[in-house]
């Protein structure tokens, strides 16, 4: 969900989706949309710690532009009162910043004139905004001054000066957004409070101010029936003859990894969530977990298997080479290209270049390819070096805004904007075409990574 701006306030940008029907005729919609459309939300009692800047009408509008635009407008108008800025996932908050980058001129104009952009056509939004929007030349000038420059460093605290922290999840695959969030917020704290899914609420972070890399979520045993599959990648696959042995909460061991399996009040029976968790301790008898990664292998050309956390680590290592160019990777996805033999990994990067006069050269980006390969596991490197069964890794840099278009595409096909997560691996032809049309440069590893037989343990 988007939670961007709140008063006492949280500036929270929340977006609802239309409901759909499944082929079997059941109503389907994302869990957060269900909540926002519910009586519980619409008639919620006043909570001084959770007063959001967005009126219900702006949240309930299913047109994402109109909803986001009017929520952003309210967030700007109430800028002095905003104490926290957030979204459920870090990617949602960055999406809101991007929206501001694209629309600040029109927003400032609305504030200067006190009249709402004609692109917002929803009668209920227009009616409620008429009560909130008044001409405010001074605020319009401030927004124009802050947003018109190239430098967006610290924009969150410049526009919302009383913000104390960012209310976003930055654990798991969201960790990659931390440098970008730090850039836009001047390093505000980022407490991760909860670990949850559409299917079930799982856990709470009892030490919200801990560093993102040290966050552990304490499972709430009353939220469902929790069971765990020991996670051992080297173990043989399950079969009918040797079914998996599920463990109960009380049987888990600190330091071991498990896959989460849930049985929920709403009827899911032994559902494999797909998350791998590491037990870090116990609170009373409830286990505490570090979110390790989503389970599935992302990339594989032949014997190699690269999962999400390995790919992310490789990207983090390669990004170190971009630091001296004040450049960071804001989004990425990957693709196992096997059209040409040997196949190779293709990584799509969208970059944030803070100083265009000093952007990374082609040679630096080639070195980034090699740095990624050096970070990948020994099976990958063996295939590259000894077996020649994988070709040099390729980075394709895409135009700014490409990943936003990717999200728009996913939303047009029914994904929830609030719960959207960038796919870390793609293979669907229309998505590949979308990405490939926006490639601005291609780079390959200039040499093979290191590999020695001894390292293959
Ligand atoms: P959804 O089904 O869209 O609600 O997404 C649920 C999934 O988001 C979970 O199964 C996790 O993979 C991921 N997720 C939720 N909370 C967290 C968290 N605090 N840290 C990391 N990943 C999370």
């Amino acid at each position: 969900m988007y939670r961007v701006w709140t008063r006492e306030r949280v500036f929270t940008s929340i977006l609802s989706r239309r409901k759909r029907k499944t082929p079997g005729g059941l109503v389907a919609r994302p869990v957060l949309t269900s909540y926002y459309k519910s009586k519980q939300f619409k008639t919620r009692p006043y909570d001084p710690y959770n007063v959001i800047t967005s009126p219900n009408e702006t949240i309930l509008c299913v047109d994402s532009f109109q909803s986001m635009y009017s929520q952003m407008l309210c967030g700007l108008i109430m800028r002095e009162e905003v104490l926290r800025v957030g979204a459920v996932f870090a990617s949602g908050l960055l999406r809101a910043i991007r929206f501001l980058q694209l629309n600040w001129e029109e927003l400032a104009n609305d504030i200067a004139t006190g009249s709402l952009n004609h692109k917002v056509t929803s009668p209920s939004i227009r009616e409620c905004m008429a009560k909130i929007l008044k001409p405010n030349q001074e605020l319009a000038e401030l927004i124009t001054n802050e947003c018109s420059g190239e430098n967006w460093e610290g924009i969150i605290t410049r526009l919302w000066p009383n913000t104390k922290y960012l209310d976003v999840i930055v654990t798991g695959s969201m960790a990659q957004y931390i440098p970008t969030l730090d850039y836009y917020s001047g390093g505000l704290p980022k407490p991760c409070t909860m670990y949850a899914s559409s299917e079930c609420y799982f856990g709470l972070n009892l030490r919200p101010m801990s560093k993102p890399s040290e966050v552990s979520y304490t499972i709430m045993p009353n939220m469902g029936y929790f069971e765990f599959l020991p996670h051992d990648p080297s173990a043989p696959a399950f079969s009918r003859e040797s079914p998996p042995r599920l463990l109960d909460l009380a049987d888990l061991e600190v330091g071991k990894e498990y896959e989460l399996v849930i049985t929920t009040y709403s009827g899911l029976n032994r559902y494999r969530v797909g998350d791998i968790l590491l037990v870090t301790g116990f609170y009373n008898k409830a286990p505490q977990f570090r979110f390790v990664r989503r389970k599935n292998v992302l990339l594989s050309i032949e014997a190699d298997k690269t999962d999400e956390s390995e790919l992310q680590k490789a990207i983090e290592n390669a990004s170190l080479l971009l630091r001296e160019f004040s450049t960071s990777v804001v989004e990425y996805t990957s693709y196992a290209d096997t059209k040409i033999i040997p196949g190779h990994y293709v990584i799509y990067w969208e970059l944030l270049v803070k100083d265009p006069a000093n952007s990374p050269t082609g040679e630096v980006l080639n070195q980034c390819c090699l740095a990624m390969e050096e970070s990948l596991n020994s099976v990958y490197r063996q295939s590259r070096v000894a077996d020649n069964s994988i070709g040099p890794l390729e980075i394709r840099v895409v135009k700014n805004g490409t990943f936003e278009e990717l999200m728009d595409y996913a939303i047009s096909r029914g994904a929830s904007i609030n719960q959207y997560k960038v796919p870390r691996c793609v293979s669907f032809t229309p998505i590949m075409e979308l990405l490939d049309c926006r490639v601005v440069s291609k780079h390959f590893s200039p040499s093979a990574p290191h590999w020695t037989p001894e390292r293959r343990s």
Side-chain angles (χ1 to χ4, degrees):
M1 100 170 133
Y2 265 82
R3 243 191 295 150
V4 191
W5 292 254
T6 83
R7 188 165 71 183
E8 166 136 358
R9 257 187 201 239
V10 194
F11 171 25
T12 297
S13 162
I14 306 163
L15 301 175
S16 302
R17 296 276 309 146
R18 286 188 182 86
K19 65 183 179 198
R20 292 184 294 132
K21 286 236 162 134
T22 65
L26 297 173
V27 170
R29 66 184 170 202
V31 65
L32 293 168
T33 297
S34 290
Y35 170 62
Y36 294 124
K37 288 198 183 292
S38 72
K39 231 175 38 209
Q40 285 93 326
F41 175 72
K42 288 186 206 160
T43 59
R44 66 196 181 282
Y46 175 76
D47 172 359
Y49 298 106
N50 206 16
V51 183
I52 52 181
T53 51
S54 309
N56 286 0
E57 291 82 350
T58 63
I59 294 170
L60 292 170
C61 175
V62 290
D63 180 295
S64 60
F65 176 85
Q66 296 186 47
S67 175
M68 185 96 102
Y69 189 93
S70 47
Q71 292 189 56
M72 183 64 78
L73 205 48
C74 294
L76 290 168
I77 293 168
M78 299 172 208
R79 64 185 282 271
E80 300 276 355
E81 296 161 76
V82 169
L83 293 188
R84 65 182 200 263
V85 172
V88 170
F89 294 112
S91 52
L93 179 53
L94 292 176
R95 162 99 180 168
I97 301 293
R98 176 86 189 136
F99 184 90
L100 184 61
Q101 279 174 331
L102 296 175
N103 295 288
W104 65 266
E105 274 171 287
E106 289 177 70
L107 289 157
N109 183 53
D110 287 9
I111 291 173
T113 57
S115 59
L116 185 59
N117 193 324
H118 66 272
K119 290 186 204 156
V120 180
T121 53
S122 153
S124 59
I125 295 187
R126 294 200 75 86
E127 194 182 324
C128 86
M129 289 306 297
K131 295 179 203 133
I132 298 170
L133 186 59
K134 304 275 175 288
N136 185 340
Q137 195 61 41
E138 200 184 326
L139 176 58
E141 273 168 29
L142 182 140
I143 294 168
T144 306
N145 284 342
E146 297 298 355
C147 299
S148 56
E150 284 279 299
N151 181 8
W152 273 56
E153 191 163 0
I155 194 74
I156 293 180
T157 39
R158 285 196 264 143
L159 290 176
W160 293 279
N162 297 316
T163 312
K164 300 288 178 286
Y165 68 91
L166 303 182
D167 190 10
V168 281
I169 288 174
V170 286
T171 44
S173 63
M174 296 294 146
Q176 55 135 346
Y177 299 110
I178 292 174
T180 317
L181 287 176
D182 285 343
Y183 173 73
Y184 287 131
S185 74
L188 280 178
K190 296 167 279 303
C192 297
T193 50
M194 62 164 179
Y195 167 44
S197 75
S198 300
E199 294 79 19
C200 184
Y201 213 105
F202 305 133
L204 287 177
N205 177 5
L206 300 181
R207 292 192 304 124
M209 295 314 280
S210 48
K211 281 201 240 154
S213 57
E214 288 165 13
V215 167
S216 280
Y217 298 99
T218 304
I219 210 98
M220 294 187 286
N222 55 333
M223 288 289 153
Y225 192 82
F226 296 98
E227 292 174 285
F228 298 86
L229 275 171
H231 179 65
D232 178 1
S234 59
F238 301 127
S239 66
R240 215 177 262 276
E241 294 71 44
S242 60
R245 196 168 67 88
L246 287 166
L247 300 178
D248 279 322
L249 279 174
D251 301 325
L252 306 186
E253 289 175 53
V254 172
K256 293 208 168 151
E257 288 186 0
Y258 299 92
E259 184 188 335
L260 180 60
V261 178
I262 51 168
T263 298
T264 64
Y265 291 109
S266 54
L268 288 173
N269 182 35
R270 289 195 156 167
Y271 172 76
R272 290 173 75 168
V273 176
D275 292 347
I276 303 296
L277 308 173
L278 170 79
V279 181
T280 53
F282 285 86
Y283 180 80
N284 295 330
K285 292 202 170 144
Q288 297 181 300
F289 296 103
R290 182 154 308 151
F291 181 92
V292 181
R293 62 177 171 275
R294 296 284 301 174
K295 196 180 92 214
N296 295 334
V297 168
L298 280 190
L299 290 166
S300 178
I301 299 285
E302 46 117 66
D304 57 302
K305 287 187 180 53
T306 298
D307 68 27
E308 191 171 321
S309 62
E310 276 183 297
L311 181 64
Q312 190 163 322
K313 191 88 213 127
I315 291 194
E316 278 165 18
N317 286 345
S319 312
L320 296 178
L321 301 180
L322 301 176
R323 269 201 192 157
E324 61 177 291
F325 301 94
S326 307
T327 296
S328 54
V329 179
V330 282
E331 272 305 355
Y332 70 87
T333 190
S334 64
Y335 168 60
D337 187 348
T338 48
K339 287 197 282 291
I340 306 166
I341 306 293
H344 71 294
Y345 288 11
V346 176
I347 317 295
Y348 292 91
W349 273 11
E350 185 170 321
L351 299 176
L352 175 70
V353 181
K354 288 164 203 157
D355 176 10
N358 180 33
S359 58
T361 58
E363 180 47 34
V364 170
L365 288 159
N366 294 344
Q367 289 301 329
C368 288
C369 297
L370 184 58
M372 285 195 69
E373 294 201 296
E374 294 287 10
S375 308
L376 293 173
N377 59 55
S378 68
V379 179
Y380 173 89
R381 285 179 285 111
Q382 180 183 12
S383 305
R384 267 284 276 135
V385 178
D387 309 343
N388 283 321
S389 53
I390 301 184
L393 184 144
E394 178 182 358
I395 290 176
R396 294 184 189 163
V397 178
V398 293
K399 279 202 306 213
N400 281 359
T402 299
F403 279 82
E404 204 180 327
E405 289 182 56
L406 196 67
M407 172 168 161
D408 290 340
Y409 178 75
I411 288 161
S412 72
R413 290 174 52 89
S416 152
I417 195 167
N418 300 313
Q419 289 165 240
Y420 175 79
K421 297 161 203 80
V422 174
R424 292 302 172 213
C425 183
V426 292
S427 56
F428 186 50
T429 309
I431 290 188
M432 305 298 308
E433 284 170 2
L434 188 156
L435 288 167
D436 281 327
C437 286
R438 285 151 187 82
V439 170
V440 289
S441 60
K442 295 183 177 185
H443 311 271
F444 290 90
S445 249
S447 57
H450 289 96
W451 176 78
T452 47
E454 311 79 77
R455 289 175 69 177
R456 188 175 187 166
S457 56

